[in-house]
Amino acid sequence: MTKHTRADLGWSDHFARQITEDDANLLPARISEVHRSQLIALSEAGDLRLIPTDSAGAYAVGDWVMTDGTSAIRRLDPVTDLHRRAAGHSISDQRIAANVDTVGLVTSCNADFNVARLERYLALALASNALPLVILTKADLCDDPDSFKRQAERLSPLVTAITINAKDPEDVARLNAWCSKAQTLALLGSSGVGKTTLRNALTGETEATQDIREDDAKGRHTTTHRALRPTLAGGWLIDTPGMRELQLSGTSDGLEELFDDIEILAAQCKFTNCAHDTEPGCAVKAALADGTLDPDRLDRWQKLRREDQYNSETIAAARARQKSFGRVVKEAVAKSKHKRGYDD
């Protein structure tokens, strides 16, 4: 059983301020794995297997909880919170990871590199309040890896990009700055870009990797679930399964930061509700006309804004319906008890 101090696990004043008198007999623990019926957590008392007191989806790897050693009594509010709209047809949010200092957006210097998809990941990272780091793998197989680095850094002044040969331990060690001294680095990206290879180098694990398809540079899933793992540099790493679908929800703040150049232009338009189409006095159209704004970037901004707004409104409406249905059920049960004389 491995024991860690709170400081080792990333405890900070943000969490300490949430402790109350009712928590006097409880122990803080950080969740390392989330399963349907139990949570794996790390604490000063060692590794714990906890019974969740909420649905499994309410927890994320990296969360801090207060526990009696058996159950996760209360979840503490996170510093950063990565989430997306759940894949498939369900109308809900899916939490990806919590209390992450840096989000490593992993893509490779080949056909996997896609500006539109990278912007999605960047919006997600920025909305979580974590620092975004673009990690460009397979640099050793590319004639000009710096060209990919420049494309990534042009997306936002907030972006730091680094090119890496994931199979070279000394090269991967350059990532230690983001996962040492109890800092947490989360790796996000599609399958086949080298996340598992990076994880093995950073943690000393020997998880098997899989080759990519040569025709489209796409890979197969190696990581099957999220987990918080200690790094050789003294920090923490969260590896995530490759995402084939990333729908944005509740990321409007991240989009504003990522596309701040367009947001500034939009604020200068004559009309506050300007659609940047046929309206007079449109600063965005003027920037398109003089070539200072890329029309493809504008299209991506508009598309992502529409998607985020639609998904956010849809999820909010679904939650409202669930609450309303819950109230109806409670009222029906209360009326039934009253008719049968079961009132207290």
Side-chain angles (χ1 to χ4, degrees), residues 105-110 112-113 134-142 145 148 162-167 171-172 175 187 190 192-198 212:
L105 307 175
V106 188
T107 184
S108 47
C109 300
N110 58 20
D112 177 80
F113 186 88
V134 177
I135 303 172
L136 295 154
T137 60
K138 308 186 192 301
D140 54 311
L141 303 177
C142 176
F148 291 93
I162 182 172
T163 58
I164 274 184
N165 174 4
K167 295 183 178 181
D171 207 20
V172 176
L175 292 175
L187 300 180
S190 52
V193 295
K195 297 196 305 299
T196 301
T197 304
L198 290 174
I212 63 170

Side-chain angles (χ1 to χ4, degrees), residues 176-193:
N176 288 345
W178 290 278
C179 57
S180 63
K181 301 178 181 178
Q183 294 183 90
T184 301
L185 169 67
L187 300 180
L188 272 67
S190 52
S191 300
V193 295

Side-chain angles (χ1 to χ4, degrees), residues 225-241:
H225 67 281
R226 301 174 187 89
L228 180 73
R229 296 287 183 261
T231 67
L232 299 174
W236 299 93
L237 184 75
I238 299 176
D239 188 12
T240 64

Side-chain angles (χ1 to χ4, degrees), residues 18-302:
Q18 299 180 54
I19 303 300
T20 67
E21 293 181 359
D22 295 334
D23 299 321
N25 297 319
L26 300 179
L27 176 72
R30 194 172 186 199
I31 295 175
S32 61
E33 296 181 33
V34 177
H35 302 282
R36 288 188 177 182
S37 59
Q38 71 172 354
L39 308 171
I40 310 299
L42 310 175
S43 74
E44 292 174 315
D47 300 349
L48 303 173
R49 293 181 179 272
L50 305 177
I51 300 170
T53 54
D54 206 337
S55 64
Y59 303 92
V61 171
D63 266 331
W64 280 93
V65 296
M66 301 302 296
T67 176
D68 58 3
T70 301
S71 301
I73 305 298
R74 181 167 66 90
R75 181 175 65 86
L76 302 182
D77 292 336
V79 177
T80 61
D81 195 2
L82 277 165
H83 65 92
R84 65 169 177 173
R85 174 170 170 166
H89 300 292
S90 62
I91 304 175
S92 61
D93 254 351
Q94 178 189 25
R95 299 188 67 215
I96 301 171
N99 299 310
V100 171
D101 297 290
T102 305
V103 180
L105 307 175
V106 188
T107 184
S108 47
C109 300
N110 58 20
D112 177 80
F113 186 88
N114 182 289
V115 169
R117 185 176 66 236
L118 189 53
E119 285 176 335
R120 284 179 176 272
Y121 280 108
L122 284 169
L124 182 79
L126 291 170
S128 76
N129 291 320
L131 295 174
L133 171 68
V134 177
I135 303 172
L136 295 154
T137 60
K138 308 186 192 301
D140 54 311
L141 303 177
C142 176
D143 293 334
D144 186 13
D146 283 342
S147 65
F148 291 93
K149 182 175 182 289
R150 288 191 295 270
Q151 287 184 71
E153 290 177 335
R154 277 200 297 266
L155 296 178
S156 169
L158 300 172
V159 170
T160 298
I162 182 172
T163 58
I164 274 184
N165 174 4
K167 295 183 178 181
D168 181 349
E170 291 186 5
D171 207 20
V172 176
R174 294 158 59 205
L175 292 175
N176 288 345
W178 290 278
C179 57
S180 63
K181 301 178 181 178
Q183 294 183 90
T184 301
L185 169 67
L187 300 180
L188 272 67
S190 52
S191 300
V193 295
K195 297 196 305 299
T196 301
T197 304
L198 290 174
R199 187 182 85 185
N200 288 346
L202 291 170
T203 65
E205 296 179 348
T206 56
E207 187 74 20
T209 60
Q210 298 206 38
D211 294 331
I212 63 170
R213 301 195 299 256
E214 292 184 3
D215 56 345
D216 59 4
K218 295 184 181 296
R220 302 174 181 86
H221 290 294
T222 301
T223 301
T224 57
H225 67 281
R226 301 174 187 89
L228 180 73
R229 296 287 183 261
T231 67
L232 299 174
W236 299 93
L237 184 75
I238 299 176
D239 188 12
T240 64
M243 295 184 185
R244 300 191 188 281
E245 180 181 351
L246 177 60
Q247 290 197 48
L248 300 183
S249 172
T251 56
S252 59
D253 289 345
L255 289 172
E256 288 180 7
E257 287 190 83
L258 179 60
F259 293 96
D260 66 332
D261 54 330
I262 302 179
E263 295 283 350
I264 291 172
L265 286 171
Q268 300 172 14
C269 291
K270 181 177 181 179
F271 300 104
T272 56
N273 61 344
C274 184
H276 320 302
D277 187 11
T278 59
E279 297 87 347
C282 176
V284 173
K285 286 199 306 177
L288 287 173
D290 64 21
T292 56
L293 176 60
D294 179 5
D296 290 337
R297 180 169 169 81
L298 175 62
D299 288 343
R300 296 194 300 270
W301 172 67
Q302 292 176 321

